[in-house]
Amino acid sequence: MSRLHRRGRRLAALVAVTLTLPLTATVTQAVAAPPAPAPSPYALVPLPVSQQAVGGQGFALTPRTRISVLSKDSAAVGVGTYLSKLLAPATGYDLRVVKDTKAPKNAVVLDPNGPESLGAEGYTLTSGTDGVVVKAHGAEGLFRGVQTLRQLLPAAVESRTRQSRSWTVSPVQISDSPRYEYRGVMLDVARRFYPVDQVKRYIDEAAAYKINTLHLHLTDDQGWRIAIDALPDLTKVGASTQSGFTGGTDWYYTAADYKEIVSYATSRFMTVVPEIDGPGHTEAALASVPGLNCDNKAKAPYSGFEVGISLYCLDDGTHIGNTRRFLKTVIKAVAKLTPGPYIHLGGDETPQATPEGYAAYVKAATDATVGRDKTVMGWHQLGQAPVPAGSLLQYWGEDDDRESIGTPDETDSVRFVRNGVAQGARFVMSPSDHAYLDMKYDVGTPYGLSWSGYVPVQRSYDWDPATVTGKLDGTGAIVPAQKIAGVEAALWADRAYEGSNALPTPATTWPTPQAYADYMSFPRLPALAEVGWSPQSARDWNGFRQRLAQQGPRWTAAGIGYYAAPGIPWPGVVRTVEGVHTIVTGGIALENGGSASDGSDLLMWATNRGNNQTWTIAPQSDGTYTMTNKSSGKCAEATGGAGATVVQRACDGRTAQRWRITPTADDQSTITSAGTGLVLTAASTANGAKATQQPDTGSVLQHWTID
Ligand code: TNX
């Protein structure tokens, strides 16, 4: 279902997980138990495939430490220079980069001669008292390993100013490689123009989490952002607007700017994917090239906030010919500037297109792309028309689509994806309800949209690309596992201003594109980076949020304006129980179900931090707490026995309304009724599940995050 035809709020949006009650009986074994998996000693994101603690203090960098590259290969030496420059501002050291034939002691050794089995991006990293060795099969793997090395140094290393302190690399042995080959991030530079410097900064922010692809959404209704020599009006006219802005003269990348971005990305082992969207999202082109319109008259440049407003004229042979020639010219120019393999042809949201018109666009655009020896990429809608085998389609469906799988009413998205699979396409997963960075985190997020629901950090983390095109219970994926190339986070910019639930006014505050990007991407981009890199079996939210918390000081040191999202134990942020909170387990929140009446059951719903989900927790003289709902003004109350529901009722101070809140080892809390002695337990993580009372079993559905 397209967001253009969206019904109201989704109900059964979350996967139902039945309550499991772990048995904790001790079993004495005659044979030695297998060794427990090594704990994760350091807070690394993304989580490496394996890491083992090593004894000793670790390796202390000094101004005389050398960066020793065991190769003459310029790309490998380039990684050494990159590392030296990365460490310079905070340490004040100017570490020498030396080409060596064998590994010296007391050095950071970069060895690109590792076995082929490491793959292009795999690496091993060993650090101990004598030094650090990063080994890979080529420069790219060294670069990924260097990002890990960075996180083994104190957070202050990210500072851009000199910090006087010691610099020790934690001792560890790591062996690592990615789950998926494509790990991308998309910037919508069309709705909001990002100057070259801000794109570069974002490249660095993403590269730190091993993102290897930068998708630039270069064209949309609100702007055309790449200069095409043969069609100067595209930028003279088509780049004069942004969402909410008119009158620009330089809101586009010249060929030189674009080359600069590509070469910066290349130096960070990142591939640039340019997107030329069509046949919809084309108002800027229609404003610049009259012959693309059916009446051959140029449209006015557009600076508004609607979607689905535009379409190339594909009604007759003459106009189809105009579109073909136009795309050939544009794609030739863009392909020439782009060393990467892909050209993204858009294809999304074209409600007015006839099937024939749409197919004519796809034919024209794919012919032009294949003609330049590039691989076709496009939004999953492109799959409805013939596309070359091996095309890469980007899935942006959501739970509504998954719910329809196998029913007589499969959504268009499901049908288009199936059609793409049948044509031999591969897929990149950008499910909007997990991977869209422009969705608000919660009701309090100043920027962005929420048409695909809120996307709190846990939702950006807790999904699996292998099952996200399957039914809600995880079965029946319509994209086979071997056709999944990877994951992409998409940062749209339709509403990149404060108070984005309404249209902007002259008084509206617009953050810089960088500030908007930082806030919406951190911490969700690192979460999605881990989805793309780390083995699914090793990932769990509770472990992740502990590791993620340790990244916060790195972002602070680097000047990244992140959102210190609740539910993550950020160092230095003390959260008291007393006060106003949401109460969350398994990504869903305790709420009053929208009811104001006495005796109504408390329920679980996807976290949105609205008043229904907001609780005032107030200490009582006996060490217990009352929990009062902001929307109803009533207190949480427990009566009855095991399995009974928890209700709300007018606050009266009785024991039934008093709760003991006890911290757990995993940095959450149990909430125990002072009346029944039973603990607050979510019946499941499905929307609408009841809040019940149960004996304390240690179940995750009894461990609450009090945000
Ligand atoms: C849908 S999803 C779009 C974009 C918007 C975005 C906003 C897709 C391929 N198209 O045009 O910017 O929603 O969330």
Side-chain angles (χ1 to χ4, degrees):
M1 180 177 63
S2 139
R3 72 188 174 129
L4 299 167
H5 306 115
R6 222 180 141 67
R7 24 178 160 95
R9 186 172 176 230
R10 285 162 291 131
L11 293 190
L14 290 173
V15 181
V17 174
T18 30
L19 175 58
T20 48
L21 304 175
L23 295 171
T24 48
T26 318
V27 180
T28 320
Q29 286 180 314
V31 291
S40 310
Y42 305 114
L44 301 171
V45 176
L47 185 70
V49 172
S50 86
Q51 56 178 317
Q52 240 129 37
V54 165
Q57 295 298 303
F59 178 60
L61 293 181
T62 73
R64 279 172 305 284
T65 300
R66 64 202 251 173
I67 296 174
S68 161
V69 184
L70 301 188
S71 169
K72 291 199 172 70
D73 170 51
S74 64
V77 176
V79 176
T81 310
Y82 163 89
L83 176 60
S84 176
K85 285 196 181 144
L86 189 73
L87 299 176
T91 61
Y93 305 162
D94 179 16
L95 301 184
R96 265 197 319 144
V97 181
V98 189
K99 294 176 217 168
D100 284 319
T101 44
K102 63 179 213 281
K105 277 198 170 178
N106 213 351
V108 175
V109 178
L110 302 181
D111 178 0
N113 310 304
E116 209 179 332
S117 58
L118 285 169
E121 295 187 289
Y123 66 93
T124 57
L125 184 156
T126 311
S127 63
T129 321
D130 290 346
V132 179
V133 179
V134 183
K135 196 182 268 224
H137 184 69
E140 186 173 2
L142 291 181
F143 185 82
R144 306 292 172 229
V146 160
Q147 303 312 320
T148 302
L149 170 58
R150 230 171 139 167
Q151 293 188 19
L152 293 169
L153 281 157
V157 79
E158 300 300 333
S159 174
R160 299 298 93 195
T161 57
R162 189 169 176 173
Q163 311 289 306
S164 54
R165 51 159 303 146
S166 61
W167 302 101
T168 303
V169 182
S170 303
V172 71
Q173 223 178 313
I174 289 173
S175 149
D176 201 11
S177 60
R179 178 180 184 193
Y180 290 115
E181 87 212 34
Y182 185 117
R183 303 176 309 280
V185 65
M186 188 204 81
L187 280 185
D188 176 2
V189 298
R191 270 61 170 269
R192 187 88 169 102
F193 180 65
Y194 288 60
V196 172
D197 281 352
Q198 298 197 18
V199 177
K200 286 185 179 172
R201 186 160 177 264
Y202 198 70
I203 287 173
D204 279 325
E205 292 177 5
Y209 294 94
K210 303 185 171 72
I211 295 290
N212 67 4
T213 307
L214 175 70
H215 167 182
L216 291 175
H217 183 72
L218 288 169
T219 72
D220 212 302
D221 295 321
Q222 295 87 347
W224 185 281
R225 306 286 175 226
I226 177 87
I228 307 291
D229 278 351
L231 295 161
D233 282 350
L234 277 175
T235 38
K236 210 162 144 217
V237 178
S240 65
T241 44
Q242 304 183 49
S243 291
F245 297 89
T246 56
T249 53
D250 59 355
W251 295 338
Y252 64 92
Y253 306 118
T254 63
D257 290 339
Y258 183 82
K259 274 191 196 154
E260 191 178 331
I261 291 171
V262 167
S263 100
Y264 197 80
T266 306
S267 74
R268 270 74 180 150
F269 296 86
M270 209 180 271
T271 302
V272 173
V273 176
E275 178 180 352
I276 306 297
D277 201 353
H281 293 278
T282 46
E283 196 83 347
L286 296 169
S288 313
V289 182
L292 298 174
N293 297 278
C294 288
D295 60 4
N296 299 320
K297 289 201 184 104
K299 297 255 177 352
Y302 183 70
S303 60
F305 297 86
E306 297 299 313
V307 292
I309 57 168
S310 55
L311 197 65
Y312 290 140
C313 182
L314 299 159
D315 290 0
D316 56 75
T318 308
H319 287 95
I320 290 174
N322 291 352
T323 299
R324 281 189 76 86
R325 267 190 304 283
F326 171 76
L327 289 171
K328 204 170 168 191
T329 305
V330 168
I331 288 170
K332 177 179 171 189
V334 172
K336 260 196 181 155
L337 295 171
T338 304
Y342 302 112
I343 304 281
H344 198 302
L345 302 174
D348 56 318
E349 297 182 319
T350 50
Q352 322 89 321
T354 61
E356 300 73 31
Y358 189 88
Y361 165 76
V362 175
K363 173 116 181 56
T366 56
D367 282 353
T369 304
V370 172
R372 291 281 143 197
D373 286 331
K374 296 291 185 190
T375 300
V376 168
M377 190 165 170
W379 299 105
H380 69 241
Q381 278 87 347
L382 217 60
Q384 71 190 280
V387 291
S391 295
L392 194 56
L393 299 182
Q394 188 167 5
Y395 175 73
W396 60 281
E398 53 178 354
D399 279 351
D400 285 347
D401 300 298
R402 304 177 62 177
E403 272 184 294
S404 81
I405 292 173
T407 71
D409 305 313
E410 287 193 339
T411 61
D412 282 351
S413 289
V414 171
R415 293 193 301 109
F416 298 160
V417 169
R418 285 192 192 282
N419 214 34
V421 171
Q423 297 187 69
R426 301 172 75 219
F427 284 80
V428 168
M429 299 302 174
S430 300
S432 53
D433 47 5
H434 298 281
Y436 269 25
L437 297 175
D438 67 317
M439 291 299 117
K440 292 175 184 285
Y441 292 89
D442 58 50
V443 75
T445 307
Y447 319 126
L449 289 162
S450 57
W451 62 264
S452 199
Y454 295 116
V455 181
V457 186
Q458 185 169 356
R459 228 172 137 62
S460 61
Y461 185 75
D462 259 348
W463 62 285
D464 180 357
T467 55
V468 80
T469 61
K471 290 187 251 184
L472 288 179
D473 66 4
T475 65
I478 56 178
V479 177
Q482 73 276 14
K483 293 292 182 187
I484 303 174
V487 173
E488 185 173 295
L491 180 54
W492 298 102
D494 320 37
R495 301 284 174 106
Y497 56 85
E498 274 185 38
S500 62
N501 288 340
L503 291 177
T505 69
T508 292
T509 305
W510 291 79
T512 60
Q514 183 65 52
Y516 169 76
D518 280 3
Y519 189 87
M520 301 307 265
S521 308
F522 287 85
R524 291 183 295 195
L525 177 60
L528 291 157
E530 180 156 314
V531 173
W533 180 279
S534 306
Q536 183 68 20
S537 58
R539 296 204 294 117
D540 84 290
W541 164 249
N542 212 21
F544 176 69
R545 67 192 190 92
Q546 310 287 338
R547 286 182 286 114
L548 186 64
Q550 299 304 315
Q551 304 293 311
R554 293 180 186 277
W555 304 334
T556 302
I560 297 176
Y562 71 101
Y563 171 50
I568 293 150
W570 306 108
V573 178
V574 180
R575 289 188 194 275
T576 50
V577 167
E578 178 179 352
V580 181
H581 297 284
T582 46
I583 302 175
V584 178
T585 184
I588 53 168
L590 182 71
E591 67 161 66
N592 74 343
S595 161
S597 48
D598 273 337
S600 63
D601 287 340
L602 300 186
L603 301 176
M604 307 303 306
W605 284 94
T607 309
N608 59 39
R609 302 176 70 76
N611 287 348
N612 288 346
Q613 299 184 348
T614 302
W615 299 87
T616 299
I617 302 186
Q620 307 298 305
S621 54
D622 60 356
T624 63
Y625 295 88
T626 55
M627 306 193 292
T628 309
N629 187 272
K630 183 163 179 188
S631 160
S632 66
K634 306 216 155 156
C635 275
E637 175 179 299
T639 53
T645 57
V646 174
V647 301
Q648 64 175 355
R649 199 178 302 283
C651 301
D652 57 18
R654 282 175 305 123
T655 313
Q657 295 183 351
R658 295 180 182 223
W659 302 86
R660 258 180 256 295
I661 299 182
T662 316
T664 57
D666 58 3
D667 181 45
Q668 300 177 77
S669 299
T670 53
I671 303 177
T672 309
S673 164
T676 65
L678 298 167
V679 303
L680 179 66
T681 308
S684 79
T685 58
N687 267 337
K690 304 245 189 233
T692 66
Q693 313 166 52
Q694 300 284 355
D696 186 351
T697 62
S699 157
V700 291
L701 297 178
Q702 300 178 330
H703 286 201
W704 299 86
T705 301
I706 298 179
D707 288 345

